[in-house]
Amino acid sequence: MRTNSLSTQWKDVGMLEFIGIVLLIPISIIVLNLIIGIMFRGLLQSNSESTFKILLGAFYLCLGCGIAPYIYRLIKSYLIILCSFVVLFLFQVLIEFSLNRGVPEEVVEKIFSEIFWVYLSMSLCVSSFRYSEARLDFAEIKDIVEKTNKISNKKYSEGICTKCGGVTIIARERETSGGNRIEFFCDHCGRFVRGNPLPNTIIGLLLVTISMLFLYGRNSNNQESVISAFNLLCLIVLFVGAKTFYSGLIWTLQAIAQKQNNIR
């Protein structure tokens, strides 16, 4: 398998962890289905079944893209996707047949139409993230240590850039508001040092999409007041997602530009 210079890029998992991840993906899909069914029950009650299916499909796409950043660096990521698909398919077949909901052909078609989008988006994102690993110029930090500035008495963290080998500061204690200010670029080579920035871009876009879907699904049928705590929460998630997407996009473009400069 082609990799870049990051020694921790591809990770293996033991059998128990592998089984746990395989089971966790179907469970997350089932839980999402239940949440959407409860929160958007007004759409079903108003005979908007087609709209509900479109929303559910969009959420499935988002879920698949959201899972991908956490499994794409696993050596067995594609095997995990395949096994989790088989587990979910068999589980849903068992449920459908136990409830006598239709003939076998109809049940299989219904199941595939529901979970197809999750695994399609998950597979595409895993492939995209793996492809970008060797083609984006970014770094990671190793040997992180905590230190204190002898002059200002402020704490900071530094580590070694995996690309240039230089010692770079990765977090500084804020002067007034407290907490740490995270640093994203190497002080020596200027590379992004927080790993592959592309997944951050996708996660930000997902947060924006999910918040908009919830806002539409909850308010399209006048299920609650437009001014509500839930809508406020969605707007906060929307803002965080937009900021994450913007930052991730800038970091990704920076990694692309750095790669082009190195080629020249």
Side-chain angles (χ1 to χ4, degrees):
M1 181 179 294
R2 182 181 180 183
T3 64
N4 61 15
S5 61
L6 301 182
S7 60
T8 59
Q9 179 178 355
W10 308 113
K11 302 175 183 177
D12 200 5
V13 293
M15 182 56 67
L16 289 178
E17 190 175 359
F18 176 84
I19 294 174
I21 297 173
V22 167
L23 295 178
L24 186 60
I25 294 175
I27 291 173
S28 65
I29 296 172
I30 293 170
V31 170
L32 174 66
N33 213 338
L34 292 174
I35 292 174
I36 300 303
I38 294 173
M39 296 193 68
F40 294 165
R41 60 184 179 274
L43 288 175
L44 291 173
Q45 294 171 354
S46 62
N47 297 321
S48 301
E49 186 175 353
S50 60
T51 303
F52 176 80
K53 287 183 177 181
I54 293 174
L55 281 174
L56 189 60
F59 273 109
Y60 281 153
L61 281 171
C62 291
L63 179 62
C65 294
I67 294 173
Y70 301 98
I71 67 171
Y72 83 97
R73 280 191 170 186
L74 301 178
I75 295 175
K76 301 175 183 176
S77 58
Y78 290 115
L79 184 59
I80 288 173
I81 293 173
L82 176 61
C83 291
S84 66
F85 175 83
V86 172
V87 170
L88 180 61
F89 179 78
L90 293 177
F91 181 74
Q92 287 196 317
V93 165
L94 180 63
I95 291 178
E96 294 289 339
F97 283 141
S98 64
L99 298 176
N100 297 317
R101 290 187 174 177
V103 297
E105 293 81 5
E106 294 176 350
V107 170
V108 171
E109 182 181 356
K110 177 179 181 295
I111 293 173
F112 265 98
S113 65
E114 289 181 351
I115 66 178
F116 169 78
W117 300 108
V118 180
Y119 288 95
L120 174 64
S121 59
M122 196 189 312
S123 301
L124 290 176
C125 282
V126 166
S127 298
S128 299
F129 296 155
R130 284 183 167 230
Y131 180 85
S132 66
E133 285 281 316
R135 290 163 179 82
L136 294 179
D137 195 13
F138 60 88
E140 291 185 343
I141 294 296
K142 63 180 181 179
D143 300 335
I144 299 174
V145 293
E146 305 291 332
K147 292 188 174 183
T148 302
N149 189 305
K150 295 180 180 180
I151 299 177
S152 65
N153 204 33
K154 295 292 183 180
K155 295 180 180 179
Y156 65 95
S157 302
E158 66 179 22
I160 298 176
C161 173
T162 55
K163 282 286 188 177
C164 69
V167 177
T168 180
I169 295 177
I170 59 172
R172 304 173 189 266
E173 187 177 357
R174 295 183 185 275
E175 294 293 332
T176 55
S177 60
N180 292 331
R181 187 184 75 217
I182 305 300
E183 302 290 340
F184 294 96
F185 296 95
C186 176
D187 295 332
H188 302 281
C189 64
R191 288 180 173 91
F192 182 74
V193 293
R194 296 291 172 175
N196 192 337
L198 184 58
N200 289 331
T201 310
I202 298 300
I203 290 174
L205 185 59
L206 290 179
L207 292 175
V208 171
T209 305
I210 289 173
S211 58
M212 293 180 67
L213 289 174
F214 270 117
L215 284 171
Y216 174 79
R218 291 289 295 177
N219 296 297
S220 61
N221 198 46
N222 296 322
Q223 296 181 52
E224 60 181 36
S225 172
V226 174
I227 302 176
S228 67
F230 181 82
N231 286 344
L232 179 60
L233 176 62
C234 287
L235 291 175
I236 293 173
V237 173
L238 178 63
F239 173 78
V240 173
K243 186 175 183 298
T244 303
F245 171 72
Y246 174 77
S247 300
L249 183 61
I250 295 298
W251 297 333
T252 302
L253 294 175
Q254 172 89 6
I256 294 173
Q258 190 76 36
K259 186 74 171 181
Q260 295 298 323
N261 291 335
N262 291 340
I263 292 175
R264 293 170 187 169

